[in-house]
Amino acid sequence: MVDMDKIVSLCKRRGFIFQSSEIYGGLGSAWDYGPLGVEFKNHVKRLWWRDNVHLRDDMVGVDAAITMHPKVWEASGHLASFSDPFTGCTVCGRHYRGDHLAEAIWSSKWFESLKRRLANEDDAMVALQKWAAGDGKKLAPNLALVQRPEVILALWKAKRSGYRFVQSEFGELLDAIACAPDGTPHNPCPNCGGQMSEPRPASLMLETFLGPVQETATKTYLRPETAQGIFVNFDNVLQASRKKLPFGIAQIGKSFRNEITPGNFTFRTREFEQMEIEFFCTPGTDEEWHQRWIDDRFAWYQKYGIRKENIQLREHEKDELAFYAKRCVDVEYLFPMGWSELEGIANRTDYDLKQHSNFSGKVLEYFDEETKQKLIPYVIEPSAGADRGALAFLVDAYNEEEVRGERRVVLKFHPELAPIKIAVLPLLKKNGRIVETAHKLCADLRKCWYSVYDDTASIGRLYRRQDEVGTPFCVTVDVQTVGDDKSKADEKVTIRDRDTMAQVRVAMSMLPAVMERLMAGEWAAIHREHGVTKE
Ligand code: GAP
């Protein structure tokens, strides 16, 4: 599995994703999509919309406002309970989510170094002593073991002679090496080893004010999910579209959460895009629809290239479920930092429509023509992140290979996701006829597929550049294409496939038709028809 630093560096180097406000030192947790990133993320959203809205006759879309009436958030329950436990270091002031603290300590620089030291010494007492006097001083200067080694080691010696560290005893080890002067254990800071405060809830809602004068303006919130914009429009959409149950409403848009510990590149940020569906169905059919959506959404990621071994479903435990949810299943991806949520698919019952009916006074129900009865539909909610999805597709596509003794970095994107579909490359940039033909070809191809022209390096370098940004096909124009004093133009170009580096030569007049087939995955058939050479 590729490490995240490589992905971050490639994204910056090749114009996928930049740190927000970088020239001012950067804004933590906010990211800007660059020229290739915007194309790529737009493809993620376009494919999601096409497959979930356009290709189904039981779905329609909306695009609701980010700022909503403040009562929406009372009704949804966000104002009362949309919070995470938060804890801060009493020494260095760093903040962490209470439920992420153990993980942050486990993977902190100081704990990694302590684990290495414990593994390399037979006697844990000696390991702790050496570490506290050496790396511990640099990496965790405020840890009790480092600050008061004699006291801690004396306590340790009394209790644990012959100890060897095992992961299941992580908690006991922490209790021993991080404690207050009176011996009471406390959580150590992942950054400096200092004492962490007791966790308390911190709201994730980002406040804003609508109106020119803050004192009299309406206080509202930047939406923390797009879902509520769908629920409040349930009746509008129902009346306007005349849809019958079951049907769904989809929305793609920005959401905002004041996350305590954003991080892991675009995985957790304070501003992000969601792709959400609220699928309304008759109570009693909800469990079956829920399962269908779980299967559909799981298959969707694989359709666009996520490898089977890197994706899994995780059923929520009863005690994890929101109080109104009947069942929830996460689609998880094996990100560089481990298995993490890509999408949640929940059965939200009739909770949201009932809440908005109660708070707004507008009854949100459905009249069943067949039974002549009114009912409040149940809701199945597949809720995905566009940024997280894009990150997963990017990580999964990343490959490093050795080609003729050189490292080749290649993003093996599904052609539909690739930001650039075709690169047109002239073999000799000093030959006017080649350059002119290549420009014209590029302009023609662009009408159907986003294509670029590049003549700024040797052909080998140009191929590697396109590999690194995942361009599925390169088209090369050479002397044979345009002819010279000695030979007639054959009016053929070479198409080179990114993944196999195999090449076929086809007539320029056939290029659009061949490309159409290549984009649809017919490379093997094109090979058979035209013969293959290797790069
Ligand atoms: N309406 C339900 C809902 O919002 P969620 O599990 O909180 O559910 C759904 O969010 C998806 O939105 C997540 O699976 C993830 O892909 C994305 N998401 C949530 N918080 C995020 C964050 N801070 N940064 C990036 N993506 C986030």
Side-chain angles (χ1 to χ4, degrees):
M1 171 64 68
V2 56
D3 68 52
M4 197 68 103
D5 290 346
K6 280 193 178 170
I7 297 288
V8 177
S9 142
L10 183 142
C11 281
K12 175 163 186 197
R13 198 170 62 248
R14 302 312 312 274
F16 279 87
I17 301 172
F18 308 122
Q19 173 81 69
S20 161
S21 325
E22 198 180 358
I23 59 168
Y24 289 98
L27 177 67
S29 101
W31 299 93
D32 298 341
Y33 287 79
L36 295 188
V38 67
E39 298 292 335
F40 172 56
K41 192 163 96 163
N42 278 346
H43 288 316
V44 174
K45 294 187 283 182
R46 178 182 58 82
L47 293 172
W48 183 91
W49 193 267
R50 184 186 71 185
D51 293 355
N52 290 296
V53 182
H54 290 176
L55 294 182
R56 301 178 62 121
D57 61 10
D58 56 359
M59 290 284 302
V60 289
V62 294
D63 182 10
I66 286 174
T67 46
M68 301 179 72
H69 195 290
K71 274 214 148 188
V72 168
W73 308 112
E74 267 180 64
S76 67
H78 282 84
L79 280 186
S81 61
F82 194 53
S83 61
D84 274 335
F86 136 100
T87 163
C89 176
T90 52
V91 188
C92 75
R94 286 275 181 108
H95 295 140
Y96 294 89
R97 252 175 74 166
D99 52 340
H100 289 177
L101 189 62
E103 201 185 302
I105 298 170
W106 178 262
S107 52
S108 66
K109 280 201 182 121
W110 67 259
F111 199 70
E112 289 282 349
S113 123
L114 179 58
K115 273 186 283 185
R116 273 196 305 277
R117 177 61 87 168
L118 283 162
N120 291 338
E121 295 278 353
D122 287 335
D123 186 338
M125 180 77 183
V126 175
L128 291 174
Q129 207 160 18
K130 283 188 185 168
W131 184 81
D135 281 352
K137 277 203 163 131
K138 278 180 268 156
L139 300 172
N142 300 316
L143 186 71
L145 171 67
V146 176
Q147 297 240 315
R148 299 179 291 281
E150 295 77 20
V151 181
I152 301 287
L153 289 169
L155 279 171
W156 180 273
K157 195 170 183 186
K159 284 194 198 154
R160 297 155 207 260
S161 61
Y163 172 84
R164 280 201 72 84
F165 175 65
V166 282
Q167 187 173 338
S168 57
E169 290 171 359
F170 172 53
E172 284 171 60
L173 176 71
L174 287 188
D175 284 355
I177 63 172
C179 59
D182 66 359
T184 315
H186 63 69
N187 281 321
C189 169
N191 180 47
C192 72
Q195 180 167 349
M196 299 300 288
S197 63
E198 279 305 309
R200 60 177 196 276
S203 172
L204 298 178
M205 302 288 281
L206 270 158
E207 287 177 11
T208 191
F209 296 88
L210 302 179
V213 185
Q214 188 149 337
E215 296 76 54
T216 54
T218 306
K219 176 170 139 187
T220 185
Y221 303 88
L222 299 181
R223 66 182 177 198
E225 59 173 18
T226 61
Q228 300 305 323
I230 297 179
F231 294 128
V232 298
N233 277 302
F234 170 75
D235 199 55
N236 284 337
V237 173
L238 189 63
Q239 300 310 325
S241 68
R242 318 298 315 165
K243 284 279 173 202
K244 301 264 174 284
L245 284 188
F247 76 94
I249 306 177
Q251 175 165 221
I252 297 178
K254 289 252 177 170
S255 294
F256 301 81
R257 294 181 190 178
N258 206 0
E259 297 281 1
I260 297 159
T261 45
N264 287 316
F265 198 24
T266 54
F267 177 82
R268 181 170 287 106
T269 50
R270 296 196 172 106
E271 171 182 345
F272 53 96
E273 264 184 297
Q274 290 188 307
M275 308 185 291
E276 297 203 288
I277 294 167
E278 306 303 328
F279 192 81
F280 302 95
C281 59
T282 311
T285 65
D286 52 307
E287 290 181 12
E288 191 194 329
W289 275 111
H290 193 191
Q291 192 55 50
R292 280 168 75 164
W293 275 108
I294 293 166
D295 298 342
D296 260 32
R297 296 299 306 141
F298 191 54
W300 187 80
Y301 291 100
Q302 295 174 62
K303 178 174 168 193
Y304 294 108
I306 297 283
R307 281 167 279 183
K308 243 197 205 108
E309 62 273 24
N310 291 340
I311 190 164
Q312 67 181 17
L313 292 173
R314 188 182 70 81
E315 186 85 34
H316 278 216
E317 301 289 337
K318 284 272 170 284
D319 61 359
E320 269 181 276
L321 284 178
F323 67 92
Y324 51 80
K326 197 165 160 185
R327 184 185 171 209
C328 184
V329 171
D330 283 350
V331 179
E332 292 189 331
Y333 179 71
L334 187 54
F335 285 99
M337 64 284 185
W339 286 104
S340 312
E341 179 187 332
L342 197 51
E343 168 163 354
I345 307 157
N347 181 343
R348 294 179 73 120
T349 67
D350 54 6
Y351 172 78
D352 303 275
L353 291 181
K354 270 190 176 157
Q355 284 292 100
H356 286 300
S357 296
N358 290 341
F359 276 75
S360 68
K362 162 100 187 159
V363 182
L364 299 176
E365 58 189 13
Y366 175 84
F367 181 71
D368 189 326
E369 302 279 357
E370 270 174 37
T371 60
K372 305 284 176 219
Q373 280 185 342
K374 288 179 183 166
L375 62 96
I376 301 180
Y378 265 35
V379 175
I380 306 302
E381 179 192 64
S383 171
D387 306 272
R388 259 187 216 180
L391 184 61
F393 284 121
L394 200 65
V395 168
D396 220 82
Y398 186 94
N399 278 273
E400 280 181 27
E401 300 167 356
E402 201 171 298
V403 178
R404 294 188 289 278
E406 278 189 24
R407 191 176 71 116
R408 169 171 105 119
V409 173
V410 51
L411 291 181
K412 294 190 173 172
F413 284 137
H414 186 288
E416 294 245 40
L417 283 172
I420 300 168
K421 308 296 186 209
I422 304 167
V424 182
L425 313 172
L427 209 63
L428 293 173
K429 72 170 177 183
K430 290 200 177 119
N431 180 320
R433 268 150 75 189
I434 293 184
V435 170
E436 194 188 328
T437 307
H439 273 302
K440 180 167 179 325
L441 210 54
C442 187
D444 285 346
L445 289 168
R446 232 180 225 159
K447 290 174 195 155
C448 298
W449 303 280
Y450 182 39
S451 307
V452 296
Y453 170 95
D454 192 4
D455 66 6
T456 55
S458 66
I459 191 71
R461 290 277 303 278
L462 294 178
Y463 281 155
R464 295 293 169 271
R465 264 188 213 161
Q466 295 301 328
D467 290 342
E468 212 186 21
V469 300
T471 307
F473 304 106
C474 291
V475 170
T476 318
V477 182
D478 55 24
V479 178
Q480 283 168 279
T481 316
V482 296
D484 60 10
D485 301 345
K486 292 180 210 123
S487 51
K488 232 175 116 231
D490 72 358
E491 297 193 348
K492 288 184 173 178
V493 288
T494 303
I495 305 175
R496 181 247 192 198
D497 172 58
R498 175 196 66 202
D499 296 348
T500 59
M501 292 180 288
Q503 303 184 347
V504 292
R505 204 158 166 85
V506 302
M508 269 194 290
S509 58
M510 287 175 63
L511 199 55
V514 171
M515 275 300 167
E516 186 86 53
R517 292 175 61 197
L518 288 178
M519 295 291 173
E522 288 187 38
W523 184 244
I526 300 285
H527 268 190
R528 278 195 301 278
E529 290 163 30
H530 295 271
V532 189
T533 54
K534 201 78 173 152
E535 177 192 318

